[in-house]
Amino acid sequence: MEKIKLGARVPAMALPICLLGATVNGRSNFCPIAWTTIIDDEPPLIGLVTAKDRYTKEGVQQHQTFSINIPNSKLAAAVDYCGLHSGYDTDKSQVFTTFTGEFATAPMIKDCPLTAECRLQQIVEFAGTDLIVGEIVETYVNEELVSEGKVNAEQMDPLLYFTNGSIYHRLGAQEAKAFKIGKEYRVHD
């Protein structure tokens, strides 16, 4: 197969959507983030890339806490609503039913199958974006999704964002077991 050049740009990728949650001016606010990554596992650190001017980020900075909420595909319209409306102009505190854990200032979404509360570690500033780095203090998951201590990804049905065309997708079927299938691979001459 021949490859073609597309130039210096973000490649087409499917990324899990995360709703960044924080208390801002006494109210819960949520901002959808697709650029999310695990940074370390001990302690568990997560990174979320946001635009410079985000209302939710003000709450993160003020309280030094935030939540991450992984929505399922059924929440696509509510997630998109949160992305279309800035907290500067719209009160998003009634979009979701929330709960709190260790931190009263890190509202989590009950309807999201997986949520976590985080303590802010740092904000790394870039020219056009900021990277919010947080330590995960506690993770919450719907009981019916856990079997033998592991979360079932297909039942969780996480909402994915495809960068090429700005399209929401669903997770497909399991392909193979990581760190196992490669043991069967043989290099061909």
Side-chain angles (χ1 to χ4, degrees), residues 144-160:
E144 69 274 8
L145 300 179
V146 180
S147 177
E148 297 177 16
K150 295 183 181 177
V151 177
N152 182 306
E154 287 178 45
Q155 287 181 335
M156 191 170 125
D157 188 28
L159 183 63
L160 304 175

Side-chain angles (χ1 to χ4, degrees), residues 135-180:
E135 179 179 353
I136 298 170
V137 174
E138 187 61 73
T139 304
Y140 303 84
V141 65
N142 291 3
E143 182 178 26
E144 69 274 8
L145 300 179
V146 180
S147 177
E148 297 177 16
K150 295 183 181 177
V151 177
N152 182 306
E154 287 178 45
Q155 287 181 335
M156 191 170 125
D157 188 28
L159 183 63
L160 304 175
Y161 174 79
F162 191 63
T163 59
N164 189 21
S166 299
I167 300 168
Y168 294 118
H169 279 272
R170 296 177 76 178
L171 185 67
Q174 178 179 314
E175 181 65 30
K177 187 97 168 136
F179 308 109
K180 187 171 183 173

Side-chain angles (χ1 to χ4, degrees), residues 15-186:
L15 305 165
I17 290 286
C18 167
L19 284 157
L20 170 64
T23 298
V24 191
N25 297 320
R27 293 185 176 160
S28 300
N29 197 75
F30 298 96
C31 174
I33 306 286
W35 296 1
T36 304
T37 188
I38 301 301
I39 294 174
D40 203 346
D41 58 355
E42 195 55 48
L45 298 177
I46 191 163
L48 300 93
V49 177
T50 70
K52 289 284 188 188
D53 190 29
R54 286 290 180 258
Y55 188 71
T56 311
K57 190 171 71 173
E58 290 182 16
V60 173
Q61 290 172 308
Q62 179 184 1
H63 300 291
Q64 303 287 294
T65 62
F66 63 93
S67 69
I68 54 171
N69 303 270
I70 309 301
N72 59 25
S73 64
K74 293 175 188 162
L75 294 174
V79 169
D80 206 49
Y81 175 87
C82 287
L84 291 170
H85 297 86
S86 170
Y88 290 115
D89 306 316
T90 304
D91 177 6
K92 295 187 260 182
S93 65
Q94 301 303 309
V95 174
F96 304 105
T97 301
T98 62
F99 72 100
T100 56
E102 298 287 320
F103 307 126
T105 54
M108 292 175 278
I109 301 170
K110 279 190 177 186
D111 288 335
C112 286
L114 188 128
T115 62
E117 52 190 333
C118 304
R119 180 181 301 111
L120 180 66
Q121 292 297 305
Q122 65 179 310
I123 295 179
V124 182
E125 295 191 25
F126 294 96
T129 59
D130 289 338
L131 172 66
I132 297 172
V133 178
E135 179 179 353
I136 298 170
V137 174
E138 187 61 73
T139 304
Y140 303 84
V141 65
N142 291 3
E143 182 178 26
E144 69 274 8
L145 300 179
V146 180
S147 177
E148 297 177 16
K150 295 183 181 177
V151 177
N152 182 306
E154 287 178 45
Q155 287 181 335
M156 191 170 125
D157 188 28
L159 183 63
L160 304 175
Y161 174 79
F162 191 63
T163 59
N164 189 21
S166 299
I167 300 168
Y168 294 118
H169 279 272
R170 296 177 76 178
L171 185 67
Q174 178 179 314
E175 181 65 30
K177 187 97 168 136
F179 308 109
K180 187 171 183 173
I181 191 169
K183 293 176 183 177
E184 301 167 10
Y185 182 77
R186 300 293 175 252

